Each structure stands twice: as structure tokens, then as C-alpha cells.
């Protein structure tokens, strides 16, 4: 269970350094994004205010907060409540690749999120338009190809948005099997 918001505020007021003290290789911001099924926006904003540098600092695996959020979090609504503060705190993160897997945030989100949102995909493409044309992941696939490995088809508007952002993507074929599908 998550720490109640008032308790978190009291802890950070009494011990400001707690916001940037890592635990198991993760600062508190990344722990929230990694292990809360849907990170509460109020707690996210509170941790970013207490330690804004946490959004720009990689964890022990070389992942930034935006990578962790795109890979593991189930974003609320359109994702603005979570991605907006992260993008403002570390705008370069949308262009950064993970040390393990060579992922950009867009590829992580398209490959691993079970119910992708058109708004989140639009936000990530707007912040880094070239991401739809860049191979990523351990298999060096394009984001459209990562959509092929999903266990269910993504909503048509997401496929359309990716295709509109990268007209040449339609020529990219999905590989016959899903190499490394468990990784990343």
C-alpha cells in the first residue's frame, strides 16, 4: 500500500533529503512510478517538487523516470497528470535511451502498455517526433513493429497516429516471430 499523502508530506517536510535517497537502486520517485499500478498524480507532483532532479537522474539500471513511467505505469486518463510533470522536469528524457535495451519512452509505452492511450502516444510523439523513425529495444525494431508484438491489437487511432507521424512505417514489416519479447 502507498503511504498516505499527508504522511508523505510530513516525512518530506521533516526529512527533505528522503525525496532523493535511493532504495534498492531507485529514488522514491522511480519507486512510485515502478511499483504503483497507477501512480497517484498528487504524490508524483509532491516528489517532483521535493526532488526535481530525480526526474533527470538515472536509476542503477540507467532508466530515467519517464522510461519507468512509460514501461510500468498504467497512466490515468490521457496521461497528462503523470507525463506532463515528468516532461517539464526533464525535457531531455524523451530523447534519452535506456542503458539496458536501448529503449526510447515511446517504444517502451507502445510495446508494454496493455491499454495504450492516443493522448499519451500523441504527447510522446510531439515531444520527440523522430522517435517513430528510430529503431529501439533489444531487437532494434521501429515503434510500429513493437505494436505487432502486443498480445492484443492496439486501438486503430494509435496505429493511425504512428503511421501519420512516419509515412515510411507502413513499409516496415513485422518479423515472423517475437524475438526477445519477454525482455526489456
Amino acid at each position: 500500500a502507498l503511504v498516505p499523502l499527508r504522511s508523505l508530506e510530513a516525512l518530506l517536510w521533516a526529512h527533505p533529503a528522503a525525496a532523493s535517497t535511493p532504495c534498492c537502486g531507485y529514488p522514491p520517485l522511480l519507486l512510485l512510478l515502478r511499483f504503483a499500478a497507477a501512480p497517484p498524480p498528487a504524490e508524483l507532483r509532491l516528489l517532483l517538487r521535493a526532488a526535481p532532479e530525480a526526474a533527470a537522474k538515472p536509476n542503477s539500471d540507467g532508466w530515467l523516470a519517464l522510461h519507468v513511467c512509460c514501461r510500468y505505469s498504467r497512466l490515468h486518463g490521457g496521461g497528462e497528470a503523470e507525463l506532463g510533470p515528468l516532461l517539464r522536469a526533464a525535457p531531455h528524457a524523451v530523447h534519452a535511451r535506456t542503458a539496458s535495451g536501448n529503449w526510447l519512452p515511446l517504444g517502451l509505452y507502445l510495446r508494454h502498455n496493455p491499454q495504450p492511450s492516443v493522448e499519451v502516444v500523441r504527447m510522446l510523439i510531439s515531444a520527440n517526433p523522430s522517435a517513430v523513425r528510430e529503431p529501439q529495444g533489444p531487437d532494434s525494431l521501429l515503434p510500429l513493429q513493437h505494436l505487432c508484438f502486443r498480445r492484443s491489437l492496439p486501438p486503430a487511432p494509435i496505429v493511425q497516429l504512428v503511421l501519420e507521424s512516419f509515412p515510411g512505417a507502413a513499409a516496415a514489416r513485422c518479423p515472423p516471430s517475437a524475438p526477445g519479447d519477454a525482455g526489456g
Side-chain angles (χ1 to χ4, degrees):
L2 291 175
V3 175
L5 184 58
R6 290 183 195 263
S7 298
L8 182 60
E9 286 175 320
L11 172 70
L12 292 174
W13 184 81
H15 306 283
S20 56
T21 304
C23 174
C24 303
Y26 288 86
L29 174 65
L30 271 68
L31 282 171
L32 176 70
L33 294 171
R34 171 63 178 92
F35 296 106
E43 283 85 342
L44 178 65
R45 286 191 303 274
L46 181 64
L47 285 170
L48 279 171
R49 272 196 311 272
E53 72 284 355
K57 189 175 180 183
N59 69 1
S60 59
D61 296 324
W63 288 46
L64 297 171
L66 186 60
H67 295 120
V68 174
C69 184
C70 288
R71 169 59 178 96
Y72 295 104
S73 299
R74 305 303 167 242
L75 305 173
H76 298 279
E80 169 57 32
E82 298 89 352
L83 291 183
L86 291 174
L87 287 169
R88 286 187 290 280
H92 71 283
V94 77
H95 301 279
R97 292 185 178 270
T98 61
S100 61
N102 198 33
W103 289 103
L104 289 169
L106 177 65
L108 284 167
Y109 184 74
L110 291 175
R111 177 78 173 251
H112 297 289
N113 201 293
Q115 297 176 332
S117 152
V118 173
E119 292 83 10
V120 170
V121 173
R122 184 173 288 120
M123 194 180 309
L124 291 169
I125 290 174
S126 293
N128 182 4
S130 66
V132 295
R133 295 183 291 279
E134 294 185 39
Q136 41 195 297
D139 308 323
S140 293
L141 300 176
L142 296 171
L144 185 65
Q145 292 170 311
H146 286 293
L147 288 172
C148 295
F149 293 130
R150 300 175 54 77
R151 288 175 176 62
S152 62
L153 286 175
I158 290 178
V159 175
Q160 186 64 36
L161 180 59
V162 172
L163 286 171
E164 287 171 2
S165 301
F166 179 27
R173 296 181 171 237
C174 287
S177 64
D181 194 40

